[in-house]
Amino acid sequence: MEFSGFFWAAVFWMAGWGVIGSIALKRRYLHRDLDTSNTSMVGAFTGAAAGPFALIPLWIKTPRLTTRYIVLPVIATVVVFGLFFAKGDPGNICVTNGTFVASQFVNGLVIGIIYGFMALGLTLIFSILGIVSFAHGEFYMIGGMITYFITSVWLPGINPMIGVLGACVATFTLGAIFERMFLTPMYEGKIDRPVEYGILVTFGLAFTLQYFVQATAGANPVKAQRFLSFPRMGLPSSEDPWLMKTSRGSMELFESVTISSPRLTAALTCIFVLLALLYLLHRTWTGKALRAVSLDREAAAIAGINPDRMNMLAFALGGMIAALAGSLLVQAFSWLPQVGAIPAMRSFVIVVLGGLGSLPGAFFGGIIVGLVEAAGTGCVPDPQKAASYIPAYGMIVLTLTLLLRPTGLLGRKYASATHGQN
Amino acid sequence: MSRQHIPTAAGAVFLLILGLFPFVYNGGDYDYVMHIIIIAFFYAILASSWSMLAGYAGQFSFGHMGFMGIGSYTTALLLHYIHFAPEPTSICTEFAIGGTYMIFVNPIGVTSTSLAQDCLRQAMDVWDGSVPVSDVPVWLGIVLGTIMGGVAGLLVGLLVLRLRAAYLALFTLGFAEILKATISAEIQITRGQAGLETPALFENGITLFGRVYSRTDKLPPYFVFFFLMLACLAVLWWLSRSKFGLFVRALREDQEAAAALGVNTTRYKVLVFVVTTSMAALAGAVQAHYVGIVTPNALFLLQMSLVVAMAVIGGVENFVAAAIGAILIQFVLELLRNSFTIGSVTIDMTIWRLVIFGIILMLTLRFTRNGLIAPIIEYFHRGHVAAETVAKRAAATDKDGVQG
Amino acid sequence: MINLKVTNLKKSFGGLEVLKGINFEINGPELIGLIGPNGAGKTTLTNILDGAIKPNSGTVYLNGERIDQYKPYQVALAGLGRTFQVTRSFRRMSVLENLYVPALAVGEEQNRAVVHEKAMEVLEFLTIDHLRNDYAQALSGGQQKLLELGRLLMLDPDVIILDEPFAGVHPKLMEVIYEYIRRVNDEGKAIVIISHQMDAIFNLAKRLLVLNYGDMIADGPPADVKNDPAVIEAYLGVDEEDEDELAGADQS
C-alpha cells in the first residue's frame, strides 16, 4: 500500500497554503493595525482547509477573529485532510472499515483521557512552581512499578485498590521530600537561573529514579493482573447482544467498538479523580490557596498563604497524579524502568498544546493527542513504522503549536513560550 | 610561579600525560584502557560544546545527541549508499562524472541477511573483481556530517529563536526524539536497530612514527580523538575570549539589554547553535567510524543525560571544566563497573553506578553553583582579583559615599 | 550636529490609540525631560524610538538616518542608547565585561587594550573602578544604575534615553547621578529623561515634553510648561499624586 502521488501533492498544497495563510494574514492584520494574536493560527488552518478560496475573502475583509474563525477552519482542515487521505489511499482500512474507525476513535478518546490526566500533573507543577518537571515520566513509571509489586509480588491477590493507593502515598511522599530537599533554594533567590535549575535538577531525579528502579526491580518487563474482570453478559439479551457484549477482559459496544477492561477502568478512575481534584481546587481552602499562588505569588503570601507549603503540595500532587496514571496503566501495558520516557514527552506536548499552566487545557490537549495518535497508529499503512513514529506525531503537534499559537489552546494568563521566563 | 598559572600548568601536565600515555602504558588490557580514554575524549567534545551552548549562551538544548546522530548517520549513509566505479553497473541508479560512475545503491532494508541483494553487489558479482569499486573517502563523510550537523543546528536555532527556557528544552528534546523515531522507523534505508556498518577510520591501516598500525589498533583513533578534542577546545577557547563569548554571555543574562547595546542577538544566538551543533556532529561522525556501526541507540536519552551530567558536574559555565568533568566521570564510571557481593546480595554495579552518578548530579546542582571542577579553576584564576577588590573597596569607602 | 526628528508618530494596540501623531525634534546636546501621567504613552514612545516595537505610521530620523524600521541593535548602532526602567545589568558578568559588550558591538575599536582603557576611564569617571572585576550582581542598586550609564557611555550614542533613572536610588546618591547626567550632557550628548520624580526633572531638564493620552500637549522650558493650562489640567484631571509632584516641583 503505497501512498499515491495525489496524496502527497494534496499534502503539499495544504501545507503550502497554510504557510502562506499564516504569514500573509498576520502581515495584513498588522498592517491594518488589528489584533494579531490569532492570525497565524487562523491563517494557517484556513489556508490548509480551503486554500486561496477562503484566504482571499479573509484577507480582504479582515474580520475580528473570534472563536468561530478558529474552530471552523480547524475542523475543516481535519475533514479536508481526511478526504484527501481517502482519495489518495482508497484501500486503507481507515477508509473502508467504519467499525475499525469507530473503535480507534473510542479507544483514542479513552486513552486521551488518561494522557490528559497525566499531563494535568505536569501543568499543576508548572502553574505553581514555574518549572517543567523532567521527572514526570519517572513518577509515572514508579507508580506502575509499586502497584505491580504490591498486587503481584508482595501481596498477591490483594484488592488492586490497595496497590494504587500505595503507589499514590509513596510517590506523594517522594515528591514532597524531593521538593523540600532540592527545590526550596529556588524560591529564596539563591539560584541564578531558577527555570534552568528546575529543569536540570528534575532531570537528575529522573535519571536517578530510572536506574534505581532498574537496579532494584531488574530490567525485565512486568505486567500486573487486570484489576477488574467484567461479568459475562450481553445486552439487551445474551442471545442477541447488539448493544453490548462483555467478555472477562473487554467489552464490545454495538458489535463494533471494543474497549479493554484495563483501559476502561483507568479512564473511569481518571475522570473520577479529576472530579475530586476539581473539587479540591475549587471548593477547599487548600485548593483555593493553590490557585491563588498560581495567579499571584506575592499577593497570596500577603493574604496569609504560605507559598512554600503550596509548592511542596503542588509538586507532590503533580508527581502523584503521574504515578496514579502509571498505576492504572500497569495492567494494560508491560512495564520497564524506561517506560516513562514516551509518556513524559507526550505530557510535555499536551501541556504546551493546552497552554502551560492551564488545567482544562491539559485535559483537552490530552484528548486531542490521544485521537491524533489513534489516527496515526491506525491509519498509517505500515503498522511497524506507525508504531515507531508515535513520539513524532506528538512532536508535530508541538511544533505546530509553538509556531502558530505559542500560548497554547487555553493559555492566556501564563504568558507564552516567547516570554516563558516564569 | 604565581597562583593563577597553576591551572594552566596543571592542564599542560594533564595533556602531556594523555599525549604520552599510549606509548608508556603496556598493561595487558591496553586496548580496553585505550578504548575507555577514546570514549572519554568523545564525551569531552560533546560536554564542552554543550557547555558553550547551555552555560555560556544559556540555551538549554536537550537535543545535542540528536545533532551528534546527524553527524554519524550522514557519514554512514553516504558511505553506505554512494560508490564509484569506472564502469556502469546498468542496474543501479548512476551518473557519469567524467570517466567514473557515481553509483547509488538501492536500499534493501534488513530483510536480506546475506547483504547480497543490492544492485552494486550483484554487479560486482558479475564483474568478479575486474572492476575496482571505490567508496566515498572517510574524511569526506566526516566533513559532510559536520556540515549537516551545522545546517540542522542553523534550522533549529532559527526555529527556537523566540523560545525560552522550558520551551526550548522541550522543543530540542522533541527534535532528538523525532530523529530517533525516524531512524528507527525507516528500516528500509537506515536498517533500524540493526544499524549501518561503517568503515574504520583507517581502513587500510596507517603508518605513524615509523610503525605500521592496522585498522583495529587503538593508537591512531586515540590520537585522532585527542587532537579533535584539543582542536574543539581551542576553537571554544578562542570563541570564549573573543567578542563572541562576551556577546553570548550577555544574551544569556539579558537579551533585550544586549540588543539595546548594539548586539545583534539573533545572529549570535543562531551562530552559537551552529558552532556547537557542528562540533557534536563532528564528534558523532568520527565516532561512527571508530565504533564501526551506527545505531539509533546512541541517541537514547541516557547518552544525553550523561553529557548533561558531565557538563554540570564539571561546571557548565566553563567549557574546560566540562571537558575535564567528562573525562574524569568516564573514568570513574568505568572503575565502578565491577559488581560485588555482600552476603547473598549481588550488587550490580553496572546499574548502581548510574544511580550514584544521578545522586551526585543532583547534589552538585543543589550545593554548588557551577559544578565541582570550575570552582577550583576559578579559585586560582580569580583569587588575586578578589583580594585586590577587597583592598580597593576598603580604600574607596573612606574616600567617597557612593557605596549605596 | 545631533538631530533626532520624530514626525507624526502613531501607534495603536488593537484599536487603542496609544500615540496619536507625535512630533518633536531634538537639536544638539539638549537635556530634555519627558513627563506625563500614567498611560500617557511614554513607554510606547521609548520602545518605538528604541526599535523594540514598530510604529503604525510616522518617521523617526536620527542624524538624517531613518531608524523607525530598525531592530533594537541597529538603533543602538545608529546612535541612540537607552536604559531600562528596571536595572538590567548583565548580572553574572564582571563590571568590566559589562562595559566591553557595547564597545565591541559598536565595533569601531576592536583592540582590547584600547577598549579596556576606555572602560577604565568610564569607570573612574563614575568612581566605581574599584569594583571592576566584581560580578554586576554584587553591586548595590545605585551602583548598578551607574553601571548602566557606564555601558551607555561605552556605546557612545548621540542620544541617550534614561527611563526612570532615579527609581530605587538612595536619596544621597541622587545628587551624584544628577551630576553625572549633567556632565555627560556637557560632553555633547542629547539626553531624554523619563521620570515620575518631578523635582528631579525640574532640577535637570532645560526643556520639557509632556505627553497625555498619546498627544504631545506641551513642549518648552520648564517654567512655561509648569504654568501651561493644558498640562495642569492633564495632571489635575488624571492623577492627584502627579499634581502634588507638580506642586512639589514648584517649591524646589
Side-chain angles (χ1 to χ4, degrees):
Chain A
M1 268 188 290
E2 276 295 307
F3 277 115
S4 62
F6 169 79
F7 176 72
W8 289 116
V11 168
F12 190 73
W13 159 269
M14 288 176 77
W17 281 109
V19 172
I20 292 171
S22 69
I23 295 170
L25 212 61
K26 177 148 193 175
R27 291 199 161 216
R28 177 69 170 173
Y29 273 65
L30 206 63
H31 186 72
R32 285 213 171 173
D33 192 27
L34 297 159
D35 181 17
T36 57
S37 49
N38 292 329
T39 46
S40 304
M41 186 164 173
V42 173
F45 280 101
T46 312
F53 309 111
L55 272 180
I56 289 170
L58 211 57
W59 198 79
I60 293 168
K61 289 180 73 178
T62 59
R64 214 165 69 81
L65 298 173
T66 48
T67 317
R68 202 155 52 106
Y69 285 95
I70 301 171
V71 174
L72 282 179
V74 171
I75 294 171
T77 305
V78 174
V79 171
V80 170
F81 183 80
L83 289 177
F84 280 138
F85 183 83
K87 186 108 177 74
D89 189 7
N92 192 290
I93 187 167
C94 285
V95 182
T96 54
N97 191 338
T99 313
F100 177 77
V101 173
S103 195
Q104 282 295 111
F105 183 82
V106 171
N107 275 299
L109 201 67
V110 167
I111 202 83
I113 289 171
I114 307 169
Y115 292 169
F117 180 72
M118 182 178 168
L120 205 70
L122 195 62
T123 215
L124 182 68
I125 294 174
F126 181 84
S127 65
I128 310 286
L129 283 86
I131 64 161
V132 174
S133 166
F134 270 60
H136 209 58
E138 272 58 34
F139 276 99
Y140 167 87
M141 180 269 292
I142 285 193
M145 275 294 175
I146 293 176
T147 309
Y148 164 76
F149 270 93
I150 291 178
T151 56
S152 304
V153 180
W154 296 330
L155 307 162
I158 200 166
N159 188 334
M161 201 62 140
I162 305 291
V164 174
L165 281 178
C168 288
V169 171
T171 48
F172 188 90
T173 317
L174 177 69
I177 292 172
F178 174 79
E179 195 276 341
R180 281 294 95 176
M181 281 178 71
F182 289 100
L183 297 182
T184 39
M186 278 172 50
Y187 328 127
E188 291 153 13
K190 282 184 188 160
I191 305 288
D192 293 319
R193 281 181 286 169
V195 179
E196 284 84 354
Y197 172 81
I199 292 173
L200 286 178
V201 81
T202 50
F203 192 73
L205 175 69
F207 189 85
T208 313
L209 287 180
Q210 186 180 327
Y211 287 101
F212 178 76
V213 171
Q214 191 169 336
T216 48
N220 297 322
V222 297
K223 194 172 175 182
Q225 291 288 319
R226 64 171 170 266
F227 296 166
L228 181 76
S229 298
F230 295 123
R232 257 182 213 285
M233 58 188 227
L235 285 176
S237 68
S238 46
E239 283 79 43
D240 180 27
W242 62 269
L243 190 61
M244 187 172 103
K245 193 178 106 184
T246 59
S247 64
R248 292 184 65 78
S250 65
M251 67 200 270
E252 198 180 327
L253 299 173
F254 309 113
E255 298 186 319
S256 56
V257 179
T258 311
I259 308 170
S260 74
S261 149
R263 288 192 183 201
L264 188 70
T265 47
L268 291 179
T269 317
C270 283
I271 292 174
F272 176 72
V273 177
L274 183 74
L275 292 176
L277 206 63
L278 286 179
Y279 179 83
L280 170 83
L281 284 176
H282 290 264
R283 289 283 179 274
T284 65
W285 187 88
T286 317
K288 285 177 184 169
L290 267 176
R291 288 193 301 138
V293 172
S294 84
L295 289 173
D296 190 330
R297 216 181 166 75
E298 268 108 53
I302 291 166
I305 298 164
N306 181 354
D308 282 9
R309 182 161 296 169
M310 291 303 139
N311 287 331
M312 182 171 88
L313 182 63
F315 194 85
L317 209 56
M320 190 192 88
I321 288 172
L324 183 59
S327 70
L328 292 169
L329 286 180
V330 71
Q331 41 162 350
F333 304 126
S334 58
W335 222 248
L336 283 166
Q338 290 82 20
V339 84
I342 288 176
M345 280 300 302
R346 192 184 284 128
S347 300
F348 295 151
V349 172
I350 291 168
V351 294
V352 175
L353 175 65
L356 253 183
S358 155
L359 298 184
F363 199 67
F364 289 119
I367 291 174
I368 292 175
V369 170
L371 290 177
V372 168
E373 281 190 6
T377 41
C379 301
V380 172
D382 184 341
Q384 196 189 359
K385 267 190 194 176
S388 301
Y389 273 124
I390 285 185
Y393 304 131
M395 283 312 301
I396 293 165
V397 173
L398 176 69
T399 312
L400 283 178
T401 314
L402 287 178
L403 287 176
L404 298 178
R405 197 180 163 87
T407 48
L409 293 179
L410 299 175
R412 287 205 177 79
K413 155 86 180 119
Y414 302 100
S416 68
T418 50
H419 308 286
Q421 220 43 301
N422 229 322
Chain B
M1 191 168 68
S2 72
R3 201 167 65 169
Q4 76 242 52
H5 292 124
I6 292 175
T8 321
V13 172
F14 188 52
L15 287 181
L16 198 68
I17 293 173
L18 286 176
L20 290 176
F21 179 81
F23 303 109
V24 180
Y25 187 76
N26 56 0
D29 52 354
Y30 185 83
D31 277 5
Y32 167 72
V33 173
M34 289 286 275
H35 174 75
I36 299 306
I37 304 179
I38 289 172
I39 297 301
F41 290 156
F42 166 71
Y43 276 119
I45 297 171
L46 289 169
S48 56
S49 59
W50 190 76
S51 100
M52 172 57 82
L53 187 60
Y56 285 72
Q59 309 294 311
F60 274 75
S61 156
F62 281 79
H64 217 54
M65 294 313 273
F67 296 105
M68 187 224 74
I70 289 180
S72 34
Y73 267 93
T74 303
T75 181
L77 289 171
L78 198 72
L79 268 75
H80 192 267
Y81 283 110
I82 297 178
H83 298 270
F84 297 95
E87 275 175 42
T89 57
S90 311
I91 40 176
C92 292
T93 314
E94 54 203 351
F95 300 101
I97 304 168
T100 55
Y101 288 85
M102 188 177 183
I103 300 163
F104 291 87
V105 174
N106 60 327
I108 54 166
V110 284
T111 42
S112 67
T113 45
S114 63
L115 275 178
Q117 287 172 10
D118 71 55
C119 59
L120 182 64
R121 302 276 171 153
Q122 288 166 9
M124 282 166 76
D125 283 345
V126 174
W127 291 334
D128 199 21
S130 64
V131 179
V133 176
S134 53
D135 302 338
V136 177
V138 168
W139 64 264
L140 186 64
I142 292 170
V143 168
L144 287 175
T146 311
I147 292 173
M148 282 300 287
V151 170
L154 176 74
L155 295 178
V156 170
L158 285 172
L159 268 176
V160 301
L161 260 184
R162 288 170 55 71
L163 303 185
R164 284 188 188 165
Y167 285 86
L168 182 97
L170 295 181
F171 186 87
T172 46
L173 184 61
F175 167 77
E177 285 294 314
I178 286 200
L179 205 68
K180 195 181 85 187
T182 312
I183 291 170
S184 311
E186 295 298 334
I187 295 171
Q188 198 65 20
I189 297 168
T190 62
R191 293 171 49 80
Q193 297 291 342
L196 277 172
E197 284 177 19
T198 51
L201 278 173
F202 304 103
E203 189 67 27
N204 303 316
I206 187 172
T207 309
L208 282 178
F209 317 111
R211 256 197 75 182
V212 180
Y213 292 93
S214 81
R215 61 187 287 269
T216 52
D217 272 328
K218 297 286 181 191
L219 190 134
Y222 181 96
F223 279 103
V224 168
F225 272 101
F226 183 57
F227 287 114
L228 211 57
M229 179 187 73
L230 287 185
C232 284
L233 289 179
V235 170
L236 290 174
W237 187 82
W238 175 70
L239 283 174
S240 73
R241 288 305 179 95
S242 71
K243 65 180 183 181
F244 177 93
L246 207 59
F247 289 173
V248 294
R249 280 165 66 213
L251 78 90
R252 167 191 78 193
E253 293 297 314
D254 192 326
Q255 206 170 318
E256 282 169 55
L261 292 171
V263 177
N264 187 346
T265 46
T266 309
R267 178 201 287 174
Y268 283 95
K269 215 170 167 180
V270 172
L271 215 56
V272 76
F273 260 98
V274 173
V275 169
T276 55
T277 55
S278 12
M279 279 184 189
L282 173 64
V286 178
Q287 193 250 11
H289 290 291
Y290 166 66
V291 178
I293 189 165
V294 292
T295 60
N297 289 1
L299 306 179
F300 273 122
L301 211 52
L302 168 65
Q303 314 290 324
M304 191 63 227
S305 317
L306 278 180
V307 170
V308 170
M310 285 165 167
V312 167
I313 293 175
V316 76
E317 284 170 32
N318 184 329
F319 64 88
V320 178
I324 297 173
I327 294 176
L328 292 183
I329 286 165
Q330 170 68 13
F331 289 170
V332 171
L333 281 180
E334 273 315 309
L335 290 176
L336 287 177
R337 229 176 223 284
N338 300 321
S339 304
F340 53 87
T341 313
I342 308 171
S344 62
V345 186
T346 305
I347 306 292
D348 179 7
M349 280 309 284
T350 50
I351 304 299
W352 276 106
R353 67 194 174 126
L354 294 172
V355 179
I356 297 166
F357 186 50
I359 292 171
I360 294 174
L361 169 63
M362 288 198 291
L363 292 176
T364 310
L365 277 166
R366 171 71 176 80
F367 293 108
T368 69
R369 200 183 57 83
N370 191 16
L372 297 177
I373 292 161
I376 302 172
I377 301 175
E378 188 115 318
Y379 168 77
F380 287 107
H381 265 295
R382 282 183 67 89
H384 71 289
V385 172
E388 187 191 75
T389 308
V390 170
K392 281 253 190 182
R393 186 177 286 172
T397 330
D398 301 337
K399 224 166 49 204
D400 57 51
V402 194
Q403 297 298 317
Chain C
M1 185 64 187
I2 297 168
N3 177 277
L4 181 76
K5 193 164 192 290
V6 174
T7 315
N8 203 20
L9 208 60
K10 286 185 184 169
K11 179 71 193 177
S12 51
F13 294 110
L16 177 71
E17 270 196 294
V18 183
L19 296 179
K20 302 171 181 165
I22 301 289
N23 291 289
F24 70 95
E25 193 169 356
I26 298 175
N27 282 308
E30 292 190 75
L31 187 45
I32 298 173
L34 174 64
I35 60 171
N38 289 328
K42 300 183 300 260
T43 309
T44 308
L45 180 59
T46 317
N47 284 341
I48 289 179
L49 292 179
D50 161 60
I53 52 178
K54 306 262 179 286
N56 295 125
S57 63
T59 56
V60 181
Y61 281 90
L62 177 61
N63 302 336
E65 189 178 352
R66 186 170 171 178
I67 62 168
D68 52 82
Q69 297 299 321
Y70 276 13
K71 294 196 175 84
Y73 82 94
Q74 291 168 318
V75 171
L77 297 183
L80 189 147
R82 71 170 294 189
T83 61
F84 294 90
Q85 219 161 347
V86 183
T87 324
R88 299 176 86 161
S89 50
F90 304 132
R91 292 172 56 79
R92 273 173 315 132
M93 292 168 70
S94 75
V95 168
L96 267 178
E97 286 171 329
N98 264 273
L99 295 187
Y100 291 159
V101 169
L104 292 173
V106 173
E108 276 171 14
E109 182 53 74
Q110 294 294 348
N111 184 335
R112 277 306 175 87
V114 178
V115 170
H116 178 79
E117 207 156 291
K118 193 176 162 196
M120 285 309 294
E121 267 172 36
V122 166
L123 288 181
E124 270 161 36
F125 168 68
L126 298 170
T127 65
I128 48 173
D129 53 319
H130 56 289
L131 301 168
R132 63 177 183 271
N133 287 316
D134 280 20
Y135 278 136
Q137 64 184 3
L139 269 55
S140 71
Q143 288 165 340
Q144 293 207 17
K145 290 271 176 200
L146 290 181
L147 175 60
E148 277 206 302
L149 192 62
R151 287 197 311 204
L152 278 185
L153 295 180
M154 294 298 286
L155 181 67
D156 203 16
D158 293 330
V159 180
I160 294 176
I161 302 175
L162 300 174
D163 199 349
E164 298 288 351
F166 314 111
V169 172
H170 193 273
K172 259 169 75 183
L173 194 56
M174 289 273 271
E175 285 294 334
V176 182
I177 291 187
Y178 289 176
E179 186 52 32
Y180 287 129
I181 291 176
R182 285 205 190 93
R183 277 166 66 183
V184 171
N185 180 236
D186 288 342
E187 281 178 15
K189 300 200 183 306
I191 297 180
V192 179
I193 304 169
I194 302 168
S195 181
H196 274 101
Q197 271 150 308
M198 291 299 164
D199 47 344
I201 290 275
F202 279 87
N203 199 324
L204 277 169
K206 299 185 180 80
R207 175 182 161 196
L208 281 190
L209 303 172
V210 188
L211 273 181
N212 190 31
Y213 285 117
D215 281 320
M216 187 73 82
I217 56 170
D219 178 357
D224 297 357
V225 167
K226 200 155 46 180
N227 300 320
D228 191 315
V231 176
I232 292 170
E233 210 229 330
Y235 274 85
L236 268 179
V238 175
D239 196 334
E240 285 187 23
E241 207 181 304
D242 283 342
E243 193 225 342
D244 290 343
E245 285 171 17
L246 269 184
D250 237 342
Q251 292 151 14
S252 65

